[in-house]
Amino acid sequence: MNLRVGFELVFSCSQPIPMLLMLNTHSSHVDDVIEPDRLQIDPPIPLTQYHDSFGNLCSRLITPSYGYLTLSTEALLNVPDRPEEPAAENYQSPVEHLPDECMQFLLGSRYCETDLLSNTAWALFGGTPQGRPRVQAICDYVHRHIAFDYQQARPTRTAHEAYQERVGVCRDYAHLAVALCRATNIPARYCSGYISDVGLPPPYAPMDFCAWFEAYLGDRWQTFDPRNNAPRTGRVLMARGRDATDVALSNAFGPAVLVKFKVVCEPGG
């Protein structure tokens, strides 16, 4: 299935501001690309790029001194035309047998306070079977525990606060599930990107960027989505890291205000 993804972001600028952006599809989709997502900048200004320690493509620029900065892109990818299927490897490795790369994803981070949630995690899930059944039990719990509400979104809400407040958006679902997995010795990392509505009945909510997570089971990272908590068709990764701190779409080191936001993720030719 051909899937068209893209966005248009418009910032209001009052002075030159350095920005760090994470707006491209992840390199893991390189074999899926039909039309690449080259970042368009208006007005044209210099851009440099690098890959961070998590393998995410990052862009750097300095905004105009005054006026508006528009960032946009569009890509066409060939993705599976069927819902996601779980991998066969379901077992949970003992901590001492985990690859070195997994160890940082067992630790607490800015938005995932494993220390505050450890007792809760073991009380809720210590009796569940290890591996995929435990991760799915965590997803089921988070899906029920948090009420989705755009109007109560807050960029500083942590996993522990989401647990207490029982409300949030997709990043809060992901943060809480990540923290509960880590607290029960399952490596988990936060992911951001696009998710299509293919196969879902209308009405459709306005398209937005989405958050989910990956847990290390068997010998691979596997996708879990506590917000939707069901297999989806058309999921496209942009970035992954310890939590939302590592995958922020934009970091402005000064007063750059987002005034327009549009996201596209739909079947296309």
Side-chain angles (χ1 to χ4, degrees):
M1 177 183 73
N2 289 349
L3 190 69
R4 189 166 296 280
V5 299
F7 59 83
E8 183 182 33
L9 308 179
V10 180
F11 293 88
S12 176
C13 309
S14 58
Q15 64 188 68
I17 297 296
M19 293 187 75
L20 175 63
L21 310 168
M22 215 169 291
L23 294 170
N24 293 89
T25 54
H26 195 266
S27 59
S28 58
H29 287 288
V30 64
D31 293 333
D32 305 328
V33 174
I34 300 172
E35 298 174 7
D37 58 340
R38 296 188 176 92
L39 188 60
Q40 304 297 313
I41 307 172
D42 184 28
I45 53 178
L47 174 80
T48 61
Q49 294 183 314
Y50 70 96
H51 285 89
D52 67 11
S53 59
F54 301 104
N56 305 316
L57 180 60
C58 306
S59 302
R60 298 178 63 180
L61 55 78
I62 299 177
T63 70
S65 58
Y66 183 78
Y68 295 98
L69 172 67
T70 299
L71 305 172
S72 62
T73 193
E74 196 171 89
L76 187 65
L77 305 176
N78 181 258
V79 301
D81 60 357
R82 59 190 180 279
E84 300 155 326
E85 296 181 359
E89 297 84 355
N90 293 328
Y91 64 88
Q92 178 180 336
S93 296
V95 171
E96 62 270 25
H97 295 160
L98 288 169
D100 294 343
E101 68 164 60
C102 291
M103 299 308 293
Q104 65 179 319
F105 298 109
L106 284 176
L107 307 178
S109 57
R110 166 68 178 86
Y111 291 107
C112 300
E113 312 102 318
T114 53
D115 54 343
L116 298 181
L117 287 164
S118 179
N119 290 340
T120 298
W122 284 109
L124 289 171
F125 308 109
T128 60
Q130 292 189 352
R132 174 171 284 273
R134 180 168 292 179
V135 179
Q136 188 57 57
I138 288 172
C139 289
D140 293 343
Y141 173 82
V142 172
H143 183 76
R144 296 190 304 266
H145 188 77
I146 297 179
F148 188 87
D149 190 346
Y150 266 126
Q151 302 306 312
Q152 297 195 56
R154 187 172 76 243
T156 59
R157 182 182 285 121
T158 67
H160 187 251
E161 290 169 340
Y163 170 73
Q164 292 179 313
E165 297 170 19
R166 305 187 66 164
V167 68
V169 293
C170 57
R171 62 175 268 157
D172 301 305
Y173 288 76
H175 280 149
L176 180 54
V178 164
L180 293 172
C181 283
R182 292 177 184 172
T184 53
N185 297 335
I186 302 168
R189 60 190 187 187
Y190 182 96
C191 301
S192 67
Y194 303 92
I195 303 178
S196 81
D197 289 326
V198 172
L200 300 182
Y204 304 120
M207 187 56 63
D208 197 352
F209 294 113
C210 300
W212 60 91
F213 77 99
E214 294 173 342
Y216 192 84
L217 298 174
D219 59 354
R220 68 184 66 188
W221 291 98
Q222 301 185 29
T223 297
F224 291 87
D225 184 349
R227 160 67 179 100
N228 296 294
N229 208 31
R232 297 295 289 263
T233 302
R235 188 187 302 270
V236 177
L237 178 69
M238 294 175 72
R240 57 166 68 106
R242 293 165 299 183
D243 57 33
T245 303
D246 295 327
V247 304
L249 297 169
S250 65
N251 282 295
F253 300 93
V257 180
L258 182 65
V259 296
K260 182 179 180 181
F261 179 88
K262 179 183 178 182
V263 177
V264 174
C265 182
E266 61 189 20

